[in-house]
Amino acid sequence: SQQNTFVGANAGNFTTTGSYNFASGYQALYSNTEGWLNTASGTVALYSNTTGGVNTASGCAALYYNTTASSNTAMGVGALFFNCYNVPTGCTAHNNTASGYEALHNNTTGQNNTALGRSSGYYNSTGSNNTFIGFSAGPDGGPVDLTNATAIGAYAVLSQSNTLILGVTGDNAIN
């Protein structure tokens, strides 16, 4: 490994050939072996990452279960927590952006998703190409596999793919 910086007990603990990584916090990037260009800041941020690269995790347990997926950004406690959960190799959960406490929390293999706001996209599991903006915006209950769905506004809830919801669900929503 080369050009890595690890600050905190067991940060970057198993890095062997991974390069250009930065980890700050207790066990941040703990399982990393070959991952490259990762930034982990916070207790157990990117904890399970082994070979994934170009990921940014900021907040306690952000991107915790990410193993091999790349190009994800998680900002907030538990954001993208289950990314790659039970998918130790070949995980396709790439290009996700989650900002907010537990945003995209249950995403496992979904890709190209954007979630902004506390618990936005919380129940998205395998869905891809979705946008969730606002407090608890996104699928209602999980796990959910929506594609090309957009929910904007606090509590804006979706239940089908290729749908746009603007505002709260019900008679006051714009579909």
Side-chain angles (χ1 to χ4, degrees):
S1 63
Q2 61 177 332
Q3 305 299 323
N4 294 304
T5 302
F6 302 126
V7 179
N10 296 319
N13 196 53
F14 293 105
T15 302
T16 53
T17 59
S19 299
Y20 306 105
N21 295 293
F22 174 83
S24 173
Y26 176 72
Q27 294 186 340
L29 262 175
Y30 178 81
S31 303
N32 191 63
T33 54
E34 301 172 20
W36 73 104
L37 290 171
N38 292 298
T39 301
S41 178
T43 300
V44 298
L46 269 167
Y47 177 89
S48 303
N49 194 78
T50 54
T51 60
V54 198
N55 293 299
T56 300
S58 178
C60 179
L63 273 166
Y64 182 88
Y65 281 109
N66 192 77
T67 51
T68 59
S70 298
S71 301
N72 292 294
T73 301
M75 309 295 277
V77 173
L80 278 164
F81 182 82
F82 285 107
N83 209 56
C84 296
Y85 182 68
N86 281 337
V87 187
T89 60
C91 182
T92 59
H94 305 297
N95 307 313
N96 294 298
T97 301
S99 180
Y101 178 84
E102 294 186 338
L104 285 172
H105 184 78
N106 289 298
N107 192 76
T108 55
T109 58
Q111 57 188 318
N112 308 321
N113 295 298
T114 301
L116 304 172
R118 180 182 174 134
S119 301
S120 58
Y122 183 89
Y123 291 109
N124 187 74
S125 178
T126 58
S128 296
N129 307 316
N130 298 303
T131 304
F132 311 120
I133 301 172
F135 183 88
S136 292
D140 186 19
V144 179
D145 180 16
L146 299 178
T147 303
N148 301 319
T150 300
I152 301 174
Y155 304 105
V157 174
L158 295 159
S159 59
Q160 61 186 16
S161 295
N162 303 305
T163 302
L164 166 67
I165 297 291
L166 181 58
V168 296
T169 306
D171 294 336
N172 296 322
I174 298 172
N175 297 313

PDB file of all heavy atoms in Angstrom, residues 16-17 20 28 31 47-48 52 54 69 99 101 107 124 129 137-138 148 155-156 165 170:
ATOM      1  N   THR A  16      -3.541  -3.701   2.433  1.00  0.00           N
ATOM      2  CA  THR A  16      -2.319  -4.341   1.949  1.00  0.00           C
ATOM      3  C   THR A  16      -1.805  -3.639   0.694  1.00  0.00           C
ATOM      4  O   THR A  16      -0.702  -3.125   0.679  1.00  0.00           O
ATOM      5  CB  THR A  16      -2.554  -5.839   1.668  1.00  0.00           C
ATOM      6  OG1 THR A  16      -3.676  -5.971   0.797  1.00  0.00           O
ATOM      7  CG2 THR A  16      -2.806  -6.601   2.957  1.00  0.00           C
ATOM      8  N   THR A  17      -2.615  -3.621  -0.364  1.00  0.00           N
ATOM      9  CA  THR A  17      -2.181  -2.993  -1.609  1.00  0.00           C
ATOM     10  C   THR A  17      -3.006  -1.759  -1.970  1.00  0.00           C
ATOM     11  O   THR A  17      -2.732  -1.121  -2.975  1.00  0.00           O
ATOM     12  CB  THR A  17      -2.245  -4.001  -2.783  1.00  0.00           C
ATOM     13  OG1 THR A  17      -3.584  -4.462  -2.923  1.00  0.00           O
ATOM     14  CG2 THR A  17      -1.302  -5.168  -2.536  1.00  0.00           C
ATOM     15  N   TYR A  20      -3.865   5.535  -1.720  1.00  0.00           N
ATOM     16  CA  TYR A  20      -4.497   6.847  -1.710  1.00  0.00           C
ATOM     17  C   TYR A  20      -5.803   6.867  -0.907  1.00  0.00           C
ATOM     18  O   TYR A  20      -6.776   7.496  -1.302  1.00  0.00           O
ATOM     19  CB  TYR A  20      -4.725   7.359  -3.140  1.00  0.00           C
ATOM     20  CG  TYR A  20      -3.455   7.340  -3.945  1.00  0.00           C
ATOM     21  CD1 TYR A  20      -3.239   6.365  -4.917  1.00  0.00           C
ATOM     22  CD2 TYR A  20      -2.450   8.275  -3.712  1.00  0.00           C
ATOM     23  CE1 TYR A  20      -2.064   6.320  -5.640  1.00  0.00           C
ATOM     24  CE2 TYR A  20      -1.264   8.240  -4.428  1.00  0.00           C
ATOM     25  CZ  TYR A  20      -1.076   7.264  -5.388  1.00  0.00           C
ATOM     26  OH  TYR A  20       0.094   7.223  -6.087  1.00  0.00           O
ATOM     27  N   ALA A  28     -12.353   2.992  11.135  1.00  0.00           N
ATOM     28  CA  ALA A  28     -12.757   3.483   9.809  1.00  0.00           C
ATOM     29  C   ALA A  28     -11.926   2.744   8.760  1.00  0.00           C
ATOM     30  O   ALA A  28     -10.734   2.526   8.939  1.00  0.00           O
ATOM     31  CB  ALA A  28     -12.529   4.983   9.714  1.00  0.00           C
ATOM     32  N   SER A  31     -11.677  -3.046   7.227  1.00  0.00           N
ATOM     33  CA  SER A  31     -11.470  -4.276   6.457  1.00  0.00           C
ATOM     34  C   SER A  31     -10.807  -4.046   5.097  1.00  0.00           C
ATOM     35  O   SER A  31     -10.608  -4.995   4.334  1.00  0.00           O
ATOM     36  CB  SER A  31     -12.823  -4.979   6.231  1.00  0.00           C
ATOM     37  OG  SER A  31     -13.450  -5.234   7.468  1.00  0.00           O
ATOM     38  N   TYR A  47     -16.486   0.464   7.143  1.00  0.00           N
ATOM     39  CA  TYR A  47     -15.896  -0.613   7.944  1.00  0.00           C
ATOM     40  C   TYR A  47     -15.625  -1.887   7.139  1.00  0.00           C
ATOM     41  O   TYR A  47     -14.579  -2.506   7.264  1.00  0.00           O
ATOM     42  CB  TYR A  47     -16.812  -0.945   9.128  1.00  0.00           C
ATOM     43  CG  TYR A  47     -16.337  -2.087   9.981  1.00  0.00           C
ATOM     44  CD1 TYR A  47     -15.488  -1.855  11.049  1.00  0.00           C
ATOM     45  CD2 TYR A  47     -16.721  -3.400   9.722  1.00  0.00           C
ATOM     46  CE1 TYR A  47     -15.039  -2.890  11.844  1.00  0.00           C
ATOM     47  CE2 TYR A  47     -16.276  -4.449  10.505  1.00  0.00           C
ATOM     48  CZ  TYR A  47     -15.435  -4.191  11.564  1.00  0.00           C
ATOM     49  OH  TYR A  47     -14.985  -5.228  12.347  1.00  0.00           O
ATOM     50  N   SER A  48     -16.556  -2.322   6.311  1.00  0.00           N
ATOM     51  CA  SER A  48     -16.452  -3.606   5.609  1.00  0.00           C
ATOM     52  C   SER A  48     -15.803  -3.515   4.236  1.00  0.00           C
ATOM     53  O   SER A  48     -15.634  -4.535   3.562  1.00  0.00           O
ATOM     54  CB  SER A  48     -17.856  -4.218   5.450  1.00  0.00           C
ATOM     55  OG  SER A  48     -18.474  -4.357   6.708  1.00  0.00           O
ATOM     56  N   GLY A  52     -13.511  -1.990  -2.793  1.00  0.00           N
ATOM     57  CA  GLY A  52     -14.226  -0.854  -3.384  1.00  0.00           C
ATOM     58  C   GLY A  52     -13.348   0.385  -3.410  1.00  0.00           C
ATOM     59  O   GLY A  52     -12.502   0.582  -2.534  1.00  0.00           O
ATOM     60  N   VAL A  54     -12.963   4.796  -4.601  1.00  0.00           N
ATOM     61  CA  VAL A  54     -13.533   6.104  -4.889  1.00  0.00           C
ATOM     62  C   VAL A  54     -14.851   6.294  -4.120  1.00  0.00           C
ATOM     63  O   VAL A  54     -15.829   6.813  -4.638  1.00  0.00           O
ATOM     64  CB  VAL A  54     -13.732   6.337  -6.408  1.00  0.00           C
ATOM     65  CG1 VAL A  54     -13.902   7.818  -6.710  1.00  0.00           C
ATOM     66  CG2 VAL A  54     -12.569   5.792  -7.211  1.00  0.00           C
ATOM     67  N   ALA A  69     -18.276  -2.258  -3.861  1.00  0.00           N
ATOM     68  CA  ALA A  69     -18.878  -1.218  -4.707  1.00  0.00           C
ATOM     69  C   ALA A  69     -18.038   0.056  -4.679  1.00  0.00           C
ATOM     70  O   ALA A  69     -17.330   0.333  -3.714  1.00  0.00           O
ATOM     71  CB  ALA A  69     -20.302  -0.915  -4.257  1.00  0.00           C
ATOM     72  N   SER A  99     -27.240  11.756   1.557  1.00  0.00           N
ATOM     73  CA  SER A  99     -26.865  12.809   2.507  1.00  0.00           C
ATOM     74  C   SER A  99     -27.984  12.982   3.517  1.00  0.00           C
ATOM     75  O   SER A  99     -29.102  13.356   3.161  1.00  0.00           O
ATOM     76  CB  SER A  99     -26.601  14.120   1.771  1.00  0.00           C
ATOM     77  OG  SER A  99     -26.236  15.126   2.686  1.00  0.00           O
ATOM     78  N   TYR A 101     -29.051  11.690   7.929  1.00  0.00           N
ATOM     79  CA  TYR A 101     -29.126  10.579   8.870  1.00  0.00           C
ATOM     80  C   TYR A 101     -29.930   9.426   8.249  1.00  0.00           C
ATOM     81  O   TYR A 101     -31.066   9.604   7.852  1.00  0.00           O
ATOM     82  CB  TYR A 101     -29.783  11.076  10.163  1.00  0.00           C
ATOM     83  CG  TYR A 101     -29.987  10.032  11.220  1.00  0.00           C
ATOM     84  CD1 TYR A 101     -28.949   9.704  12.082  1.00  0.00           C
ATOM     85  CD2 TYR A 101     -31.197   9.398  11.370  1.00  0.00           C
ATOM     86  CE1 TYR A 101     -29.132   8.749  13.077  1.00  0.00           C
ATOM     87  CE2 TYR A 101     -31.397   8.439  12.357  1.00  0.00           C
ATOM     88  CZ  TYR A 101     -30.359   8.120  13.203  1.00  0.00           C
ATOM     89  OH  TYR A 101     -30.544   7.178  14.180  1.00  0.00           O
ATOM     90  N   ASN A 107     -30.303   0.368   1.292  1.00  0.00           N
ATOM     91  CA  ASN A 107     -29.855   0.049  -0.063  1.00  0.00           C
ATOM     92  C   ASN A 107     -28.849  -1.095  -0.006  1.00  0.00           C
ATOM     93  O   ASN A 107     -27.870  -1.034   0.731  1.00  0.00           O
ATOM     94  CB  ASN A 107     -29.207   1.286  -0.704  1.00  0.00           C
ATOM     95  CG  ASN A 107     -28.994   1.103  -2.184  1.00  0.00           C
ATOM     96  OD1 ASN A 107     -29.926   1.187  -2.952  1.00  0.00           O
ATOM     97  ND2 ASN A 107     -27.750   0.836  -2.581  1.00  0.00           N
ATOM     98  N   ASN A 124     -35.403   1.942   0.217  1.00  0.00           N
ATOM     99  CA  ASN A 124     -34.900   1.467  -1.075  1.00  0.00           C
ATOM    100  C   ASN A 124     -33.886   0.365  -0.816  1.00  0.00           C
ATOM    101  O   ASN A 124     -32.949   0.542  -0.051  1.00  0.00           O
ATOM    102  CB  ASN A 124     -34.247   2.616  -1.852  1.00  0.00           C
ATOM    103  CG  ASN A 124     -33.867   2.185  -3.243  1.00  0.00           C
ATOM    104  OD1 ASN A 124     -34.722   2.024  -4.089  1.00  0.00           O
ATOM    105  ND2 ASN A 124     -32.573   1.985  -3.476  1.00  0.00           N
ATOM    106  N   ASN A 129     -31.645   4.220 -10.113  1.00  0.00           N
ATOM    107  CA  ASN A 129     -31.978   5.437 -10.871  1.00  0.00           C
ATOM    108  C   ASN A 129     -33.111   6.233 -10.216  1.00  0.00           C
ATOM    109  O   ASN A 129     -33.970   6.775 -10.899  1.00  0.00           O
ATOM    110  CB  ASN A 129     -32.346   5.089 -12.320  1.00  0.00           C
ATOM    111  CG  ASN A 129     -31.274   4.261 -12.979  1.00  0.00           C
ATOM    112  OD1 ASN A 129     -30.095   4.542 -12.857  1.00  0.00           O
ATOM    113  ND2 ASN A 129     -31.681   3.214 -13.668  1.00  0.00           N
ATOM    114  N   ALA A 137     -38.550  11.068   2.435  1.00  0.00           N
ATOM    115  CA  ALA A 137     -39.061  10.919   1.067  1.00  0.00           C
ATOM    116  C   ALA A 137     -38.605   9.579   0.501  1.00  0.00           C
ATOM    117  O   ALA A 137     -37.493   9.143   0.765  1.00  0.00           O
ATOM    118  CB  ALA A 137     -38.549  12.055   0.183  1.00  0.00           C
ATOM    119  N   GLY A 138     -39.473   8.922  -0.257  1.00  0.00           N
ATOM    120  CA  GLY A 138     -39.097   7.670  -0.895  1.00  0.00           C
ATOM    121  C   GLY A 138     -40.117   6.586  -0.719  1.00  0.00           C
ATOM    122  O   GLY A 138     -41.268   6.847  -0.384  1.00  0.00           O
ATOM    123  N   ASN A 148     -36.370   4.478 -11.620  1.00  0.00           N
ATOM    124  CA  ASN A 148     -36.725   5.780 -12.200  1.00  0.00           C
ATOM    125  C   ASN A 148     -37.861   6.461 -11.443  1.00  0.00           C
ATOM    126  O   ASN A 148     -38.768   7.034 -12.039  1.00  0.00           O
ATOM    127  CB  ASN A 148     -37.112   5.624 -13.680  1.00  0.00           C
ATOM    128  CG  ASN A 148     -35.975   5.031 -14.483  1.00  0.00           C
ATOM    129  OD1 ASN A 148     -34.824   5.379 -14.301  1.00  0.00           O
ATOM    130  ND2 ASN A 148     -36.306   4.114 -15.369  1.00  0.00           N
ATOM    131  N   TYR A 155     -41.963  13.542   3.577  1.00  0.00           N
ATOM    132  CA  TYR A 155     -42.946  12.451   3.572  1.00  0.00           C
ATOM    133  C   TYR A 155     -43.545  12.149   2.201  1.00  0.00           C
ATOM    134  O   TYR A 155     -44.582  11.498   2.119  1.00  0.00           O
ATOM    135  CB  TYR A 155     -44.069  12.719   4.577  1.00  0.00           C
ATOM    136  CG  TYR A 155     -43.579  12.949   5.981  1.00  0.00           C
ATOM    137  CD1 TYR A 155     -43.566  14.227   6.522  1.00  0.00           C
ATOM    138  CD2 TYR A 155     -43.113  11.893   6.757  1.00  0.00           C
ATOM    139  CE1 TYR A 155     -43.107  14.447   7.813  1.00  0.00           C
ATOM    140  CE2 TYR A 155     -42.651  12.111   8.044  1.00  0.00           C
ATOM    141  CZ  TYR A 155     -42.652  13.384   8.568  1.00  0.00           C
ATOM    142  OH  TYR A 155     -42.191  13.612   9.845  1.00  0.00           O
ATOM    143  N   ALA A 156     -42.923  12.586   1.132  1.00  0.00           N
ATOM    144  CA  ALA A 156     -43.384  12.218  -0.214  1.00  0.00           C
ATOM    145  C   ALA A 156     -43.104  10.723  -0.399  1.00  0.00           C
ATOM    146  O   ALA A 156     -41.969  10.286  -0.304  1.00  0.00           O
ATOM    147  CB  ALA A 156     -42.673  13.041  -1.275  1.00  0.00           C
ATOM    148  N   ILE A 165     -43.569  12.066  -7.513  1.00  0.00           N
ATOM    149  CA  ILE A 165     -44.457  12.586  -6.474  1.00  0.00           C
ATOM    150  C   ILE A 165     -43.847  13.879  -5.964  1.00  0.00           C
ATOM    151  O   ILE A 165     -42.686  13.919  -5.571  1.00  0.00           O
ATOM    152  CB  ILE A 165     -44.602  11.596  -5.290  1.00  0.00           C
ATOM    153  CG1 ILE A 165     -45.248  10.303  -5.746  1.00  0.00           C
ATOM    154  CG2 ILE A 165     -45.384  12.228  -4.143  1.00  0.00           C
ATOM    155  CD1 ILE A 165     -46.707  10.421  -6.122  1.00  0.00           C
ATOM    156  N   GLY A 170     -51.199  11.469  -1.092  1.00  0.00           N
ATOM    157  CA  GLY A 170     -52.631  11.643  -0.897  1.00  0.00           C
ATOM    158  C   GLY A 170     -53.195  12.692  -1.826  1.00  0.00           C
ATOM    159  O   GLY A 170     -52.626  13.011  -2.879  1.00  0.00           O
TER     160      GLY A 170
END
